[in-house]
């Protein structure tokens, strides 16, 4: 098989058998295509040709191109998984990425909004003119749900009516690794969703499917559109900083930990497989 053909076979198996998200598959593809291009530039036509010396040369080239350390670490992680897969099929004698370790990246603290700024964003007055007044009903429901339940961007963008239990105050989402979790939906988020759903019914058409959030033309409210609308509403509310979806998730986690001191509960609500990922919020709590 060619380099690209073997790569596509690997990605297809990861998608179908492991249930990895399209975002994760795309990251695998970008990283491994970079390695395939490097092998091709060196006249090599088989994945087994990559050894530790060539890999170190590739990483040095990445450093010269100012590829940040986290991207290099992700590339190595992609390679480890790919070469383990190749070895199980007899297409590689060893894993060249196993013996390489990069310097540890100092993790930055996540940026959060303080409670007053969150209130300023969510309690902003509705616009007087159309179509902004209708868009505000949707955007407010979206923002309230983000902050109430700590959703990831993809979890909100692909949430459906069937997943929402508005009367009971819960929503079930599918996160990383195709894992589902059932989350509480707060009182203000329930009220905003109840205000949004009649408008959603007016916007829905044959292409809307069961998606919870839609555009005025009935299409799914995409991740990029959500990012743009959130930034727009933050500017309209007069917030002094750029606001992105993950900032609301970070704010949810930080404020919940400040009030509850229950790190394990925050881990479960965020859907973190490893509590060490959640522990970054303890540093914010210490500052608080």
């Amino acid at each position: 098989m060619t380099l690209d053909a073997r790569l596509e076979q690997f990605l297809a198996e990861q998608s179908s058998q492991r249930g990895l998200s399209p975002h994760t598959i795309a990251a695998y593809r970008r990283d491994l295509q970079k390695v395939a291009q490097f092998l091709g530039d060196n006249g090599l036509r088989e994945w087994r040709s990559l050894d530790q010396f060539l890999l170190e040369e590739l990483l040095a080239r990445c450093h010269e191109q100012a590829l940040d350390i986290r991207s290099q670490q992700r590339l190595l992680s992609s390679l480890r998984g790919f070469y383990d897969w190749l070895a199980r099929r007899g297409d590689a004698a060893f894993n060249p990425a196993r013996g390489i370790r990069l310097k540890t990246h100092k993790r930055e603290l996540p940026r959060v909004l303080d409670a007053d700024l969150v209130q300023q964003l969510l309690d902003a007055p509705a616009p007087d003119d159309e179509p902004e007044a209708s868009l505000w009903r949707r955007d407010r429901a979206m923002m309230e749900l983000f902050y109430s339940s700590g959703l990831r961007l993809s979890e909100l963008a692909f949430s459906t009516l069937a997943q929402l239990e508005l009367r009971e105050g819960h929503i079930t989402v599918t996160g990383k690794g195709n894992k589902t979790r059932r989350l509480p939906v707060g009182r203000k988020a329930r009220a905003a969703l109840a205000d949004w759903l009649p408008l959603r019914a007016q916007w829905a058409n044959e292409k809307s499917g069961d998606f919870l959030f839609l555009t005025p033309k009935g299409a799914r409210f995409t991740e990029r559109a959500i990012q743009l609308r959130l930034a727009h509403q933050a500017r309209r509310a007069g917030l002094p900083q750029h606001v992105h979806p993950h900032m609301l998730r970070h704010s949810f986690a930080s404020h919940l930990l400040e009030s509850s001191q229950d790190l394990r509960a925050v881990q479960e609500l965020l859907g973190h497989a490893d509590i060490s990922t959640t522990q970054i919020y303890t540093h914010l709590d210490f500052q608080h």
Side-chain angles (χ1 to χ4, degrees):
M1 275 191 175
T2 64
L3 294 172
D4 287 340
R6 183 61 81 199
L7 172 56
E8 291 304 319
Q9 183 184 13
F10 167 73
L11 295 175
E13 285 193 20
Q14 300 306 297
S15 178
S16 62
Q17 297 180 13
R18 293 185 57 196
L20 298 183
S21 70
H23 177 79
T24 302
I25 294 297
Y28 265 123
R29 178 176 279 109
R30 285 194 302 271
D31 289 337
L32 296 175
Q33 282 179 339
K34 189 175 298 182
V35 182
Q37 179 67 46
F38 173 77
L39 290 174
D41 291 346
N42 283 275
L44 303 172
R45 298 292 178 263
E46 293 185 341
W47 287 103
R48 67 172 66 245
S49 302
L50 183 67
D51 58 24
Q52 191 165 337
F53 298 105
L54 282 171
L55 181 52
E56 289 174 349
E57 181 182 337
L58 171 61
L59 291 172
R61 185 176 299 182
C62 290
H63 181 72
E64 291 170 359
Q65 295 171 350
L67 188 69
D68 66 72
I69 190 69
R70 282 179 291 192
S71 296
Q72 294 180 48
Q73 288 172 329
R74 193 194 65 205
L75 184 145
L76 278 177
S77 177
S78 298
L79 276 174
R80 291 185 191 108
F82 181 47
Y83 272 86
D84 283 346
W85 180 85
L86 289 173
R88 289 195 296 270
R89 284 153 181 75
D91 293 324
F94 67 99
N95 192 327
R98 285 288 173 198
I100 294 181
R101 293 290 183 272
L102 299 176
K103 64 180 181 180
T104 303
H105 177 76
K106 184 179 180 182
R107 191 169 184 182
E108 297 179 359
L109 294 179
R111 296 182 179 180
V112 303
L113 297 170
D114 64 39
D116 290 339
L117 287 178
V118 172
Q119 184 174 356
Q120 181 178 333
L121 172 65
L122 299 180
D123 293 345
D128 295 325
D129 59 317
E130 290 288 355
E132 278 299 317
S134 293
L135 292 174
W136 166 247
R137 290 170 64 184
R138 179 203 57 193
D139 293 352
R140 182 180 58 178
M142 172 265 292
M143 294 186 297
E144 288 280 8
L145 185 57
F146 256 136
Y147 180 63
S148 167
S149 304
L151 302 185
R152 297 181 177 95
L153 175 58
S154 61
E155 292 169 349
L156 185 133
F158 285 96
S159 59
T160 65
L161 291 173
Q163 294 172 328
L164 178 65
E165 306 166 58
L166 191 58
R167 183 176 299 177
E168 295 80 2
H170 289 93
I171 188 169
T172 301
V173 297
T174 302
K176 290 184 176 180
N178 210 29
K179 295 178 181 178
T180 61
R181 65 191 193 281
R182 188 168 181 257
L183 301 168
V185 179
R187 175 177 54 84
K188 285 196 171 186
R190 293 200 301 271
L193 286 164
D195 182 58
W196 151 245
L197 289 177
L199 181 59
R200 182 207 176 278
Q202 296 176 28
W203 289 0
N205 55 39
E206 66 279 357
K207 64 182 179 181
S208 302
D210 195 39
F211 293 115
L212 179 56
F213 293 104
L214 304 175
T215 69
K217 294 183 178 180
R220 180 177 71 86
F221 198 22
T222 65
E223 290 92 328
R224 181 55 179 160
I226 292 170
Q227 291 172 331
L228 293 173
R229 289 302 300 179
L230 177 56
H232 167 76
Q233 295 297 356
R235 289 193 300 271
R236 194 178 73 84
L239 267 67
Q241 62 200 100
H242 173 68
V243 178
H244 54 81
H246 223 61
M247 188 178 288
L248 288 182
R249 176 171 159 90
H250 289 322
S251 301
F252 158 84
S254 179
H255 298 166
L256 183 61
L257 185 61
E258 288 171 3
S259 60
S260 70
Q261 302 298 309
D262 191 341
L263 187 65
R264 184 70 67 182
V266 175
Q267 176 196 4
E268 292 180 4
L269 290 171
L270 290 175
H272 287 162
D274 190 337
I275 200 169
S276 65
T277 308
T278 320
Q279 284 174 332
I280 189 71
Y281 297 105
T282 63
H283 299 291
L284 292 175
D285 188 42
F286 178 77
Q287 291 180 347
H288 171 78

